[in-house]
Structure formats: C-alpha cells, structure tokens
Amino acid sequence: MNDNIAEYLASYGSSIRYEDLPPEVVHRAKILLIDTLACAMGGYTGEPCKIARRMASRINSCDMPVSILGSSRKSTPELATFANGVMIRYLDFNDSYFSKEGGHPSDNFAAILSCADAVHAGGKDAIVATVLAYEVFCRLTDRFTISPQGFDHAITGVISAVTGASKLLGLSQKQMVEAINLAVAPNIALGQTRKGKVSMWKGCALANAGRNAVFAALLAKEGMTGPSPIFEGYSGFFKAVSGEFTLEEFGGNGRPFRIMDVMIKRYPCGAVAQTAIDAAILLRERITGIDEIAEINVGTFKFGKTAMANDAEKWHPKTRETADHSMPYVIAVALKCGSVELSNFTEACLNDPEILELIQKIKVEETEECNKLYPESYANRVEIITRSGEKISERVQYYRGHPRNPLTDDEIDEKFHSLVKELLPSPKRKDILSLIRNLEAVDDIGKLIELFNMDR
C-alpha cells in the first residue's frame, strides 16, 4: 500500500542502481535511445522545432550550459529540454505505451539527456535514469485514467520526467519528493491538446512537461519545497485529476521492468493506428485498385477511436498534426500508397483528391472484438466492401515493433539512418550507433550529443 505516492516514487528513484538492471533491460534502453534520437533528427526541420530552438537559443546558462541537439548552441537545462523534446515528438514517430491511458515514454529522453549533459553524467547514469523514467511513466499509466476527465498525458510525463531528472541531478530522496510535489502542482495539462483541429502544440506538450520537470528538480535541489501531500491532499491530484490509486511494485529484484513492454513505431503516426495501416496494406493486395472500393469499415478498441477517430476534423484534416492523429487519413493513405511515410503529410498529400474521397468512405466503430484484446495489443480490423458487394477484411493484432513482433537491431539502425541521413554523413551516423551500443562505457553523455552537432 502506498500511503504517500510521492515518497514511494522518490524511494524507488533514489534506490535504483545500474547493477539492478538485467542485460536485456540495458539493451532495451539503448535501442529506445537510438529510436528516439532518430525521431528527433528526423523532426529537426519542422516548424515547431525551429521555434523551440530559437526560443532556447536566446538564453544561455553561465554555470550549467546544455546543448541544443543538432547545433553548437547551448541554453539552460530547462529550455534545452524543451527544444530537444519538441524535436523528439514532432514526427509522432517515437515509441508508445498504452494501458488505462496512453503515451510516449521516450519523451522523457529530453529531460534525461539535458540533465545528463548539464552535470556531465556518464552512460550508466543515463541508462538508469531512462529505465526509472520509463518505469514511472508506464506504472502510472497502468493505474489511472485522465483523458475522460479532459486531461492530457503530459500530466503523467511531468511526473516521470522529474524522477529521471532528479536522479541525474543527484537529488536526495527528500529533495526528490519535493521535486515531484513542485512538478505536479502547477502542471495539470488539458486534453484539448489532441482534439479538434490539432495544433503545433500537440508535439510540444510533453516537451513542455519535461521543461517543467527539470525546472522543478532544479528548484528542489536549491532547497525549494512544494505542496504536500500532492497526491493524497485535500485538493491534491487524487481529488482534482485521477481519483485514488496505488502503485504496484516497480521493476527489480526479479520483477519485470515496463521498458520491455514499450512499442516502437513502424509508421509516423498515432500508435493506435499502426495495425490498421498494416491491415489496409494487406487488403490493398487483394483488390485491383482503390476505384473498386465502395465502403471501408474499421473496427477498433475504445481508446483507438477516442484517440484517432473522435471528431469530425479526423475526416477533414487540415494540419499535419491532425492528419497523423487521424485513423481515416492514414488508412486512406495506406490504401492508395501501400505504406505511410513522412512524405504523406505534406500539404499536397493532405489535399490529394483521391485520399480525400477515400476518407469519406471510412467508418470507424468501437468493437467488442478489439476491446477484448486491448491493452495487450492494439488490434484493428479493416473491412472493404467493393462496388460489386464483396466483403473482404483483415485483422492485425501485433504490428511490427510490438514486443510480440519486435523490430530487430538492424531494423532499428535502418530507421535511424533513414531519418538522419539528410543531416549527418554516414561515418558520423555509424559513430553515433557504435557509441550508443557501448553507452555504459561512456564517461560523459556530452560526447554523444556532440556527435549530432551539425555546425562542425
């Protein structure tokens, strides 16, 4: 029983050590770092990323300068976290974890890398902080719902990021409790971030959570205290946001680590649509052309519909952010093009008359079949009714990248090269991959970040 959630989180965060981590967990942390940095560099030229970098570049830190990924510029730990976090999230291509709620635990890397850079932490420390942040994010996601109440999973992200940041900044257990209090109280994010006409902020919300988490950890390190008990108090998190919950025992001492259950995306769009895309591609092979399609019926799970087919804008996406969170859009793209790639989110593609026509033929409904399989899988069934009246369907349960259908190390490397090749030459990319594969031997994480510097 967790009588005080913040103290329970801080107790675990303070106690976890590199020696507690099985080899497969260490390896998984490295793989996810490769995937996350690939996504960050792939998103480097996105407009929100440029805005975030400009903001961060205006302010430097005299005593704790932190690199902005991809450049020689430095900023404060919290603003560098924001800039790097926007890059990580922009493409909607980074990992995912879904249970009672959903989210992207790799967003934590923004705070982890910035704090590691700030204190010149080594690779082992960065790995421990990564596993810790993933553990907190996923275990919280297992225990409460926040989206029905109108909140965003950035709330979960600020809690996980502050534990990882606190670990790297060397906070005591008592200070870590205060950091958690300081992170939670002012950072209750609204779910409108992902509704309606989705704005640029969709890719910035977790970056902002990371920024606020780092700020809270730095305040606590200086001696600032926060409102307590932040979860159980009269006007605390339980009452305002989640309702009461307890946490299961965290990973270690023979117990599994949740980082092993995280899913890596094959397509640059919302995680809940990955299997729907696979199903659409399979169906595409069974028809002579998209002109043959009269209707498309999609069966999904409750969260799948809520996340990517919940409002009219999903059938009329006007922004990249709306499109990559639109199940109708990505299914239509898959049927026409045979895949979903970054090139499918340009303005020309958003206005493609064939894709727009296909979207209007799509209906998405929650089904008992798919609900029974969630959250163990993000199963979707796609059915096509042809103009002749024939019905054909495909259901995909585990997309490529799910722990039960994992990407190989070589496939992860291929994803990295494909997203980074326009920015960094092959020798530097190979050096990056080699360094991450041996991250536990690195004495300063800044050596990794420096390899992404495109100004030299």
Side-chain angles (χ1 to χ4, degrees), residues 44 49-62 64-77 79-84 87 113-114 117-118 446 449-456:
Y44 186 84
C49 306
K50 294 177 183 177
I51 293 169
R53 287 198 300 275
R54 288 199 299 269
M55 292 286 290
S57 297
R58 291 172 185 160
I59 301 175
N60 204 341
S61 171
C62 295
M64 201 175 274
V66 174
S67 296
I68 300 170
L69 197 63
S71 76
S72 60
R73 296 181 179 181
K74 295 182 182 290
S75 186
T76 62
L79 285 177
T81 295
F82 180 70
N84 294 339
M87 287 187 269
L113 291 173
S114 292
D117 191 22
I449 297 172
E450 176 61 25
L451 287 173
F452 287 92
N453 186 344
M454 293 184 291
D455 295 338
R456 295 178 184 171

Side-chain angles (χ1 to χ4, degrees), residues 6-7 9-11 13-15 17 162-163 165-180 217 220-223:
E7 290 181 1
L9 292 169
S11 174
S14 297
S15 64
R17 298 289 181 266
V162 79
T163 55
S166 297
K167 184 73 171 178
L168 283 163
L169 293 172
L171 272 64
S172 68
Q173 183 174 331
K174 183 178 179 181
Q175 288 173 324
M176 195 179 294
V177 171
E178 298 300 347
I180 293 167
K221 188 175 178 66
E222 293 296 323

Side-chain angles (χ1 to χ4, degrees), residues 406-436:
L407 293 164
T408 66
D409 286 7
D410 286 343
E411 287 173 319
I412 294 293
D413 288 356
E414 287 171 12
K415 181 177 177 180
F416 179 86
H417 286 297
S418 70
L419 290 172
V420 183
K421 65 184 179 182
E422 299 300 324
L423 301 176
L424 296 175
S426 178
K428 186 172 277 194
R429 298 197 305 271
K430 290 178 180 178
D431 287 345
I432 289 169
L433 291 174
S434 176
L435 190 149
I436 295 176

Side-chain angles (χ1 to χ4, degrees), residues 9 12 89 94-109 112 129-146 152-164 194 205-207 209-210 231 237 245 247 250-251 257-259 261-263 303 378:
L9 292 169
Y12 180 70
R89 190 77 189 93
N94 56 326
D95 67 19
S96 64
Y97 179 86
F98 285 76
S99 184
K100 285 192 173 182
E101 282 291 336
H104 308 272
S106 54
D107 289 318
N108 287 293
F109 273 116
I112 288 164
T130 297
V131 175
L132 168 61
Y134 269 74
E135 191 73 1
V136 171
F137 185 95
C138 297
R139 297 286 180 179
L140 288 172
T141 299
D142 289 342
R143 303 308 290 174
F144 60 71
T145 59
I146 53 177
D152 184 69
H153 66 270
I155 292 174
T156 310
V158 80
I159 303 169
S160 57
V162 79
T163 55
R194 297 165 215 287
L206 269 293
F231 289 93
F237 193 88
F245 66 88
L247 287 172
F250 290 108
F257 287 90
R258 280 288 186 265
I259 197 170
D261 300 325
V262 169
M263 306 172 206
F303 191 82
Y378 308 170

Side-chain angles (χ1 to χ4, degrees), residues 161-217:
V162 79
T163 55
S166 297
K167 184 73 171 178
L168 283 163
L169 293 172
L171 272 64
S172 68
Q173 183 174 331
K174 183 178 179 181
Q175 288 173 324
M176 195 179 294
V177 171
E178 298 300 347
I180 293 167
N181 295 339
L182 291 164
V184 174
N187 295 302
I188 306 302
L190 295 179
Q192 190 59 33
T193 293
R194 297 165 215 287
K195 304 295 187 231
K197 181 181 179 182
V198 184
S199 71
M200 290 182 183
W201 188 251
K202 187 261 286 180
C204 303
L206 269 293
N208 190 57
R211 175 181 76 102
N212 293 334
V214 171
F215 185 61

Side-chain angles (χ1 to χ4, degrees), residues 235-248:
S235 296
F237 193 88
F238 285 175
K239 183 175 181 180
V241 179
S242 66
E244 291 188 22
F245 66 88
T246 59
L247 287 172
E248 297 175 344

